[in-house]
Amino acid sequence: MSTRQSGPAMGNRPAGSHARPEAATVSEADRRRALFGSAVGSTIEWYDYFLYGTMSSIVFGKLFFPSSDPVTSQLLALASFALAFLIRPIGGIVFAHVGDRVGRKKTLVITLSIMGLSTVLIGLTPTYASIGIWSPILLTLLRLLQGLALGGEWGGGVLLAVEYSPAHKRGFFGAVPQTGALFGLALGNFATSGLSALFSEEAFLSYGWRIPFVLSIVLVLIGMWIRNKVEETPSFRKVAAEARDNPKNAGERKMPLVETLTRHWRAVLIAIGAKFVETSTFFLFATFTISYLVGLGYPRVQALNVVLVAALIAVPVMLYFGALSDRIGRKKVFAWGTVAIAIYALPYFWLLNQGSALIATAAVVLGFSIIWSTYGSVLGTFFAESFPPNVRYTGVSLGYQVGAALVGGPMPLIATALLARYDGSYVPVAVFIVLCAAVSLIAVGFTKDRTGQPLDT
């Protein structure tokens, strides 16, 4: 096979680079421990992150961004949710630099600590009625800290799984940390739904909403203990060993960002485009759907439970599609799902508007649990296969976080604004989803599928 054929799926190796053998053999116990550590840490990080998104849909507008116009309050709360996405690329760059130079494991412990602290402090932040304008300012600053932490978390969590995986199971391993977003979303919705049912509306708005934020410290401590038990990934150990053995070439590792942007910029751009459909539809289903259903007259608990059920069903479906990509190729799985969501976007909103909880649940399950899981399951592995190990953390983080900042975070805000602009018509929102799908389909069209090939060649 030629060097070009064995190159990365979303970019070419730098000229003069030397082929590296596949990562050193590791035991099955090591693989399981890394996979578990990746999944648990990812779940905790996403729980903290999505808890804010859920509360911004139902609570924060009233408590932190009061206005005589409820739509304005809702938009301001969603804007604070979206702001974190602007800092996620910065977090990705900063922590990816550390991850490519110091190691994946240490970086993941740092990001988990920052996320946990900021989440607990959100639960302790006074409302606008108590301290006025300082309330939304503090809340937004803490939200930005969450974005900084998650910007560095995702790439490291995926690499912890993928770089420990055997070549014939890389798609399955890469899907596991992706399920952390689903588990985190489900945990956040479960906590919010349970507390909504347990407390009266007045009690929930007074102090009930704070409980899941403060209790997240327990999950964070558990996650840090588990991650400390995991060894550094085989790919990074090989890069570090080569740097020690060849100190003249170690300079390449000093600025992973520079090398990524000069030698792998095409792969970064393609990764950003591929991210569009995944991030826009995730936040369509996970965040915007809740406020949309409540606006249609569904009880808040029922709206939360619809998304909760869909997120739980999506977990095994995502693992299935990750394993399927190991057999038929990641490019096919991604493309099929992208086409499917473009077709389904308009019918999805029509189904939600039928006024039936059963139909709404089925609509979200089809869109979120099944269609989204196709491309969501392979995205992490796709990205990891696109970059060499010495800049892999930086490359995957840039592609993922910039794509998320461009359309993921703003998605609920864009959708809410489109509804307000077009008198409640959901057609413009569906058109936006179709456009995101088109961008991703074009981006993936430029890739070369590296399913089954050595990761560190």
Side-chain angles (χ1 to χ4, degrees), residues 46 49 79 81-92 147 150-151 271-273 275-276 278-280 283 397-414 432:
W46 283 112
Y49 196 78
F81 172 76
L83 274 176
F85 285 80
L86 298 179
I87 203 170
R88 274 172 57 171
I90 299 175
L150 191 63
I272 292 171
K275 176 68 177 169
F276 269 40
E278 185 271 342
T279 191
S280 62
F283 288 101
S397 295
L398 271 179
Y400 187 93
Q401 303 303 347
V402 172
L406 290 175
V407 296
M411 174 58 203
L413 182 62
I414 291 171
F432 178 75

Side-chain angles (χ1 to χ4, degrees), residues 21-106:
E22 184 75 355
T25 302
V26 295
S27 69
E28 286 303 313
D30 288 337
R31 294 191 199 278
R32 288 193 298 268
R33 191 178 299 114
L35 202 58
F36 185 61
S38 173
V40 171
S42 177
T43 297
I44 295 168
E45 291 262 8
W46 283 112
Y47 163 80
D48 289 349
Y49 196 78
F50 286 139
L51 189 59
Y52 187 103
T54 301
M55 294 299 182
S56 69
S57 296
I58 60 178
V59 171
F60 288 163
K62 301 174 184 177
L63 299 182
F64 293 90
F65 303 92
S67 171
S68 57
D69 180 10
V71 175
T72 301
S73 295
Q74 182 74 5
L75 286 173
L76 289 172
L78 291 174
S80 71
F81 172 76
L83 274 176
F85 285 80
L86 298 179
I87 203 170
R88 274 172 57 171
I90 299 175
I93 292 171
V94 171
F95 291 113
H97 177 86
V98 177
D100 277 331
R101 296 207 61 206
V102 178
R104 306 354 181 180
K105 175 182 173 178
K106 292 179 181 179

Side-chain angles (χ1 to χ4, degrees), residues 54 58 186 188-201 204 289-291 293-295 297-309 357 361:
T54 301
I58 60 178
N189 279 12
F190 178 77
T192 306
S193 176
L195 291 169
S196 294
L198 183 64
F199 294 106
S200 65
E201 180 74 9
F204 182 79
T289 291
I290 296 173
S291 60
L293 288 175
V294 171
Y298 288 81
R300 181 175 63 220
V301 172
Q302 191 174 67
L304 289 167
N305 286 340
V306 166
V307 177
L308 169 62
V309 169
T361 302

Side-chain angles (χ1 to χ4, degrees), residues 65-341:
F65 303 92
S67 171
S68 57
D69 180 10
V71 175
T72 301
S73 295
Q74 182 74 5
L75 286 173
L76 289 172
L78 291 174
S80 71
F81 172 76
L83 274 176
F85 285 80
L86 298 179
I87 203 170
R88 274 172 57 171
I90 299 175
I93 292 171
V94 171
F95 291 113
H97 177 86
V98 177
D100 277 331
R101 296 207 61 206
V102 178
R104 306 354 181 180
K105 175 182 173 178
K106 292 179 181 179
T107 307
L108 289 172
V109 171
I110 295 172
T111 58
L112 191 59
S113 302
I114 295 174
M115 179 66 83
L117 177 62
S118 57
T119 302
V120 171
L121 290 177
I122 286 174
L124 301 176
T125 302
T127 63
Y128 190 93
S130 300
I131 60 173
I133 192 63
W134 284 106
S135 176
I137 291 175
L138 289 174
L139 184 71
T140 302
L141 287 175
L142 292 171
R143 177 60 178 171
L144 292 177
L145 275 179
Q146 283 190 321
L148 190 74
L150 191 63
E153 160 67 26
W154 182 85
V158 167
L159 296 189
L160 188 62
V162 171
E163 291 185 342
Y164 261 104
S165 67
H168 67 286
K169 291 185 178 180
R170 196 179 302 143
F172 175 80
F173 270 62
V176 170
Q178 290 290 80
T179 64
L182 299 171
F183 278 121
L185 174 65
L187 278 176
N189 279 12
F190 178 77
T192 306
S193 176
L195 291 169
S196 294
L198 183 64
F199 294 106
S200 65
E201 180 74 9
E202 182 181 357
F204 182 79
L205 291 175
S206 176
Y207 61 88
W209 68 269
R210 299 181 181 275
I211 296 174
F213 285 95
V214 175
L215 289 182
S216 71
I217 188 62
V218 178
L219 298 176
V220 170
L221 292 175
I222 293 173
M224 290 181 66
W225 178 77
I226 292 172
R227 281 192 167 171
N228 273 316
K229 298 291 184 181
V230 180
E231 296 295 329
E232 187 54 79
T233 71
S235 294
F236 181 80
R237 292 202 301 265
K238 283 172 59 64
V239 170
E242 289 176 1
R244 289 193 299 269
D245 295 340
N246 301 282
K248 292 183 179 180
N249 298 328
E252 293 184 2
R253 297 181 60 240
K254 290 183 178 179
M255 290 299 294
L257 177 62
V258 174
E259 181 176 350
T260 301
L261 293 179
T262 55
R263 297 184 178 182
H264 307 281
W265 59 269
R266 190 184 303 274
V268 172
L269 289 178
I270 293 174
I272 292 171
K275 176 68 177 169
F276 269 40
V277 68
E278 185 271 342
T279 191
S280 62
T281 53
F282 185 92
F283 288 101
L284 167 72
F285 295 125
T287 303
F288 176 73
T289 291
I290 296 173
S291 60
Y292 187 74
L293 288 175
V294 171
L296 291 176
Y298 288 81
R300 181 175 63 220
V301 172
Q302 191 174 67
L304 289 167
N305 286 340
V306 166
V307 177
L308 169 62
V309 169
L312 291 175
I313 294 175
V315 171
V317 177
M318 178 172 278
L319 295 177
Y320 167 77
F321 280 121
L324 180 65
S325 77
D326 286 321
R327 298 196 298 272
I328 69 172
R330 280 170 261 293
K331 190 171 180 177
K332 287 182 180 179
V333 175
F334 190 100
W336 288 350
T338 303
V339 172
I341 197 62

